[in-house]
Amino acid sequence: MAAYILRRLLLVIPTLFGILVINFALVQFVPGGPVEQVIAQLEGGGDVFEGFAGGGGDAGEEVISANENYAGRQGLPPELIAELEEQFGLDKPPVERFFIMLGNYVRFDFGESYFRKINVLDLVLEKMPVSISLGLWSTLIAYLVSIPLGIRKALNDGSRFDTWTSGVIIAAYAIPGFLFAILLLVLFAGGSYLQIFPLRGLTSDNWETLSLFGKITDYFWHIALPVIASTISAFATLTLLTKNSFLDEIKKQYVMTARAKGLSEGRVLYGHIFRNAMLIVIAGFPAVFIGVFFSGSLIIETIFSLDGLGRLGFEAAVARDYPVIFGTLFIFGLMSLVVGIISDIMYVIVDPRIDFEKREG
């Protein structure tokens, strides 16, 4: 197992390299780079894309130098354009910039945000508590609720309990996360009905003056609705996955043999079925965690006015803040790869019979 983990860790390097190469290359063809953002603001504060005459460009790097028809360029001295390119480090060829970036990333130096003048790593760490809160609690609640519910549905397959819970689960899965979040705000955050939970933020204004117990209570009070909203889809998927996995195992020959030997239902369920059925559930853990942690965080953070990584990435993409874009991409990619390795380790913990090294051979 140690050799397998070592190989997986070594594969992280070329994987991250490939992610950065592809995304860096794509950025070269995206119009509206940071220089163009600044020029658009200098020319009146309009949207940068209003400055394109006929479209086209490559993220504002070679466009400023090559496209003389760019409207935002008119009336601005070439010295200012050159100074902006030098300030953003865009005066060098793309290949040279890419390898300079790689060299910095090896030292975990992600540079400084173009427009916030803050170190990218410090910026990510500043936003991390919000995303960790959403991702960690949503995933934990989804697993704590879905696994017992899925097992009970499998044991009572076709019963009235199974039927009405399936209806609730399908309805929950069909509701978009943002719509459910708005519904929670309307019902429980001072919309048209109850004022039970706060409308926005992760903590109250008087956070610093609260006691330790008060801070814990205030934190969970604020995070309750965002976590529920971000859990709903993962909860539905995981419950049905657990149920179907257990149903498949219950019908297998080894279960009938175990019962024929006189083993109790509890021993058959948790000593044999559980270990095998949980493998597919564990395999879905990285997707559930990463999905809640990154993919679904933007909408939830926006609705509940939370300043997390989702909004950070979106704002960086809109502003073409390249250090933040590539820095967060590197960090997110590294985290997702590490979570995948942790998932394989959990496989072995649940079922020690699994040997990844023999399977590779």
Side-chain angles (χ1 to χ4, degrees):
M1 186 63 183
Y4 171 79
I5 294 176
L6 179 60
R7 285 195 295 271
R8 286 291 302 272
L9 289 173
L10 292 176
L11 281 174
V12 168
I13 298 174
T15 304
L16 286 176
F17 179 80
I19 291 173
L20 291 175
V21 166
I22 293 173
N23 285 274
F24 188 88
L26 290 175
V27 161
Q28 308 310 308
F29 300 98
V30 178
V35 175
E36 291 172 344
Q37 295 281 355
V38 175
I39 292 176
Q41 293 176 7
L42 293 175
E43 289 291 326
D47 192 306
V48 65
F49 297 105
E50 296 175 1
F52 285 93
D58 63 355
E61 297 178 7
E62 279 71 35
V63 166
I64 295 297
S65 299
N67 187 1
E68 295 293 334
N69 294 323
Y70 176 59
R73 182 183 179 87
Q74 298 172 8
L76 294 177
E79 295 79 9
L80 176 60
I81 304 297
E83 183 179 345
L84 288 174
E85 290 180 340
E86 183 179 358
Q87 178 182 346
F88 291 125
L90 304 178
D91 55 331
K92 302 179 179 65
V95 175
E96 182 180 350
R97 295 199 311 271
F98 177 74
F99 282 102
I100 290 175
M101 181 182 72
L102 283 184
N104 293 333
Y105 282 12
V106 170
R107 305 190 303 271
F108 282 85
D109 178 10
F110 303 105
E112 189 178 83
S113 170
Y114 283 159
F115 304 106
R116 304 195 188 199
K117 300 304 178 183
I118 303 175
N119 185 277
V120 173
L121 188 58
D122 293 337
L123 194 58
V124 170
L125 293 177
E126 178 186 330
K127 312 298 183 183
M128 189 74 78
V130 172
S131 296
I132 287 181
S133 295
L134 288 176
L136 179 62
W137 293 116
S138 298
T139 306
L140 183 61
I141 291 174
Y143 270 76
L144 289 178
V145 174
S146 299
I147 292 176
L149 180 59
I151 293 174
R152 185 175 177 185
K153 284 174 64 62
L155 296 177
N156 298 276
D157 185 39
S159 67
R160 182 175 298 178
F161 171 81
D162 180 46
T163 301
W164 72 261
T165 52
S166 294
V168 173
I169 289 171
I170 293 173
Y173 183 76
I175 299 175
F178 75 91
L179 184 61
F180 188 69
I182 295 174
L183 178 64
L184 291 176
L185 285 178
V186 172
L187 293 178
F188 303 110
S192 303
Y193 298 93
L194 303 175
Q195 177 73 56
I196 299 177
F197 296 97
L199 185 61
R200 60 175 60 88
L202 191 60
T203 57
S204 299
D205 294 335
N206 62 338
W207 166 265
E208 297 297 335
T209 63
L210 297 175
S211 63
L212 177 60
F213 178 76
K215 289 182 178 180
I216 294 175
T217 304
D218 183 74
Y219 166 76
F220 283 107
W221 183 47
H222 280 78
I223 206 67
L225 293 186
V227 167
I228 294 173
S230 60
T231 304
I232 190 71
S233 61
F235 158 76
T237 304
L238 192 57
T239 300
L240 294 178
L241 179 64
T242 303
K243 175 193 172 182
N244 294 332
S245 179
F246 270 80
L247 282 178
D248 289 341
E249 293 297 324
I250 288 173
K251 297 175 182 178
K252 290 185 177 179
Q253 184 64 41
Y254 76 88
V255 176
M256 300 175 60
T257 303
R259 287 172 175 166
K261 291 181 178 180
L263 296 180
S264 64
E265 281 298 316
R267 179 74 180 276
V268 172
L269 177 62
Y270 295 104
H272 297 276
I273 299 176
F274 182 84
R275 182 173 61 183
N276 296 322
M278 285 302 296
L279 291 177
I280 191 172
V281 178
I282 291 174
F285 173 80
V288 174
F289 180 78
I290 297 299
V292 175
F293 193 75
F294 302 127
S295 304
S297 60
L298 172 59
I299 296 177
I300 300 299
E301 289 173 13
T302 302
I303 292 175
F304 290 97
S305 299
L306 300 173
D307 194 11
L309 293 176
R311 290 181 63 181
L312 173 65
F314 174 75
E315 292 170 0
V318 171
R320 301 299 189 266
D321 196 343
Y322 293 154
V324 177
I325 292 175
F326 290 114
T328 53
L329 182 67
F330 180 87
I331 295 172
F332 293 173
L334 179 61
M335 289 181 63
S336 63
L337 292 171
V338 171
V339 169
I341 296 174
I342 294 175
S343 178
D344 288 345
I345 296 175
M346 292 175 66
Y347 263 124
V348 178
I349 294 176
V350 173
D351 191 350
R353 296 173 301 174
I354 294 179
D355 191 333
F356 287 104
E357 296 182 19
K358 290 183 179 178
R359 295 179 72 175
E360 285 190 343

